[in-house]
Amino acid sequence: MGVLRHVVCAMSGGVDSSVSALLLKRMGYHVTGVFMKNWDSQDERGVCSSERDCEDAYKVCKMLDMPFHQVTYVKEYWHEVFSNLLREYEQGRTPNPDIMCNKHIKFKHFYHYALNTLGADAMATGHYARTSQEDEEVFQQKSVVSGISVRLYQGADRFKDQTFFLSQISQDALRHTIFPLAGLTKDFVKKIAAEAGFQHVLKKKESMGICFIGERDFEHFILEYIEPKPGNLVSIEDGKIMGQHQGWFTLTLGQRARIGGQVDPWFVVDKDITTGDVFVGPTTNHPALFRDTLQTDRFHWIAEDPPVELVRTQMMECHFCFNNRMPLTPCTVTLNLDGSVWVMLKEPIRALTPGQFAVLYKGDECLGSGKIVHLGPTIFTLQKGQNCMSRPPKDTGQQHPEPVS
């Protein structure tokens, strides 16, 4: 008789983690469900429904005859995710707390809790993603012995694929993780949940956006933590002051700007945190929103080392995205000596945003990600430069001397 493997499954109270636990049980593993509390809802006015989510996770574990635990990472989340988020906003960037939560909380603190405290052989989550390991290889850890890196691949459901959010996790955590939903579609997962009687999780509205903000207006939320810094909304086209804002950190590139008295919408195209000015353009596809070049900070490679092709030639063709809902865009990547990368896109993209993550793909493999720290010039800037160069010099009425031969 084989060894009974112990897997700790992260339980959110949603349909994906519930079905993941069910599938692990069907595979014959000893499964423990653990609910993570990362945000103290008592501090807010009923923003996150963490208590109800915890109850829903507990019900599933009871139905599956699984041990259930709850672990709190409120302090860790505040120091390692939320405080960083506030600093990023104050510096004019737009962070991605979901990627940072996976990196610092789920695949670091929770991972160590699962293996070291609960003594699990592996952990599992309900992400739509897959790896280069078969489930049994997770327990055998052949990759460690052979020195071969475990690869992260897109899940079978490309619309629900969540490798974007896993692009900063460590190789060590990935080696010890099972993704039970790797080969399934969302519709099929819901079908499994219905057949299993998980009606209480099927009824729930799927969470979108940042959980700790909930249904509230983002500007109101962020102003609870950062002092207002009023400034001007300035037209990118003629420098005219169009209105006021409460702080550049309440606005992100591509967002619709609230300008009183304007019938047509204006959109945020740039920010200057030294003056406090936020620049706006009159159309959603204004050329000041489009760029084709960006630089990241030190890039995090899932396999730990950059691809051999990139190291050998310093350049590589691959695909890029900075938003999990956007289609992958062809690009050329250049590796810098400090570990950062330049990304040159095949065509300009709307609202590339500092603070977001540049996630790279080679085929269906997620290579990793780096935070966007610098942007190349906009199409609007380049067009203005071309216009200046093509414009003939003004006639001042003065005679210009002939060149001396």
Side-chain angles (χ1 to χ4, degrees), residues 10-11 34-38 70-73 105-106 110:
M11 304 291 290
V34 180
F35 178 84
M36 277 176 282
K37 183 178 180 182
N38 298 330
Q70 180 180 350
V71 63
T72 299
Y73 293 121
I105 309 300
K106 288 182 185 173
F110 180 80

Side-chain angles (χ1 to χ4, degrees), residues 6-26 29-36 52-71 110 113 118 124 196-201:
H6 181 198
V7 180
V8 166
C9 185
M11 304 291 290
S12 66
V15 66
D16 296 331
S17 60
S18 299
V19 170
S20 294
L22 171 63
L23 295 176
L24 290 167
K25 287 281 287 186
R26 288 180 179 175
Y29 300 130
H30 169 56
V31 186
T32 297
V34 180
F35 178 84
M36 277 176 282
R52 194 189 74 182
D53 290 339
C54 186
E55 288 174 9
D56 289 340
Y58 173 72
K59 285 179 186 176
V60 170
C61 288
K62 196 171 181 182
M63 292 171 72
L64 296 177
D65 192 26
M66 285 167 40
F68 175 80
H69 296 268
Q70 180 180 350
V71 63
F110 180 80
Y113 171 79
L118 297 183
F198 297 161
Q199 299 303 326
H200 64 293
V201 297

Side-chain angles (χ1 to χ4, degrees), residues 40-340:
D40 194 347
S41 57
Q42 300 303 314
D43 288 348
E44 306 297 338
R45 297 180 294 278
V47 179
C48 276
S49 55
S50 61
E51 288 185 10
R52 194 189 74 182
D53 290 339
C54 186
E55 288 174 9
D56 289 340
Y58 173 72
K59 285 179 186 176
V60 170
C61 288
K62 196 171 181 182
M63 292 171 72
L64 296 177
D65 192 26
M66 285 167 40
F68 175 80
H69 296 268
Q70 180 180 350
V71 63
T72 299
Y73 293 121
V74 172
K75 183 172 71 173
E76 291 84 353
Y77 190 92
W78 179 273
H79 289 298
E80 298 178 51
V81 179
F82 192 70
S83 294
N84 174 267
L85 173 138
L86 296 180
R87 286 193 299 271
E88 288 287 286
Y89 276 121
E90 287 184 301
Q91 292 168 13
R93 296 192 279 263
T94 303
N96 190 313
D98 296 323
I99 288 180
M100 299 310 290
C101 179
N102 280 326
K103 177 179 182 175
H104 293 294
I105 309 300
K106 288 182 185 173
F107 290 87
K108 188 176 81 174
H109 292 295
F110 180 80
Y111 160 62
H112 290 303
Y113 171 79
L115 269 65
N116 299 334
T117 304
L118 297 183
D121 298 299
M123 65 173 273
T125 71
H127 288 99
Y128 288 84
R130 61 190 176 91
T131 74
S132 54
Q133 293 186 125
E134 296 294 333
D135 290 346
E136 194 55 34
E137 291 178 309
V138 175
F139 305 109
Q140 296 168 355
Q141 289 297 294
K142 288 181 178 178
S143 61
V144 177
V145 178
S146 64
I148 298 173
S149 297
V150 174
R151 307 288 176 160
L152 178 65
Y153 295 107
Q154 293 177 302
D157 190 334
R158 293 300 172 87
F159 182 74
K160 286 296 298 180
D161 173 63
Q162 291 172 309
T163 51
F164 177 88
F165 299 109
L166 302 174
S167 61
Q168 281 276 312
I169 68 173
S170 71
Q171 176 67 198
D172 186 51
L174 189 63
R175 280 195 179 105
H176 292 88
T177 301
I178 297 173
F179 298 115
L181 308 185
L184 305 180
T185 63
K186 181 73 175 189
D187 288 341
F188 193 64
V189 167
K190 288 181 177 178
K191 184 173 182 289
I192 294 172
E195 291 172 351
F198 297 161
Q199 299 303 326
H200 64 293
V201 297
L202 276 170
K203 291 176 185 175
K204 294 172 75 168
K205 183 180 177 182
E206 193 161 348
S207 61
M208 299 291 287
I210 305 169
C211 114
F212 51 74
I213 295 177
E215 300 297 322
R216 288 181 299 170
D217 177 77
F218 174 77
E219 181 174 331
H220 293 160
F221 171 82
I222 204 69
L223 287 172
E224 291 178 17
Y225 297 93
I226 303 177
E227 283 290 319
K229 293 183 176 67
N232 294 322
L233 294 169
V234 181
S235 169
I236 192 72
E237 297 197 326
D238 57 15
K240 179 182 177 182
I241 295 176
M242 305 297 297
Q244 305 291 311
H245 63 79
Q246 290 300 302
W248 61 81
F249 42 81
T250 66
L251 300 163
T252 190
L253 301 190
Q255 176 185 340
R256 183 170 176 170
R258 297 170 183 168
I259 299 178
Q262 293 293 317
V263 177
D264 297 321
W266 285 65
F267 297 86
V268 177
V269 299
D270 206 354
K271 296 190 265 187
D272 185 342
I273 66 171
T274 57
T275 63
D277 290 340
V278 172
F279 296 94
V280 293
T283 60
T284 185
N285 287 322
H286 193 278
L289 274 170
F290 286 82
R291 308 171 193 255
D292 61 6
T293 311
L294 64 97
Q295 185 184 13
T296 70
D297 62 1
R298 187 175 183 83
F299 201 87
H300 172 80
W301 302 101
I302 295 287
E304 295 186 327
D305 295 319
V308 174
E309 174 189 352
L310 184 57
V311 174
R312 188 177 64 246
T313 65
Q314 301 300 300
M315 295 183 73
M316 180 180 70
E317 304 288 325
C318 57
H319 284 79
F320 158 90
C321 72
F322 76 102
N323 180 313
N324 68 303
R325 292 295 186 192
M326 69 179 282
L328 297 180
T329 300
C331 68
T332 301
V333 174
T334 303
L335 182 64
N336 301 317
L337 292 174
D338 62 359
S340 66

Side-chain angles (χ1 to χ4, degrees), residues 269-270 287-292 375-383:
V269 299
D270 206 354
L289 274 170
F290 286 82
R291 308 171 193 255
D292 61 6
L375 298 175
T378 66
I379 300 303
F380 183 68
T381 299
L382 294 173
Q383 287 174 346

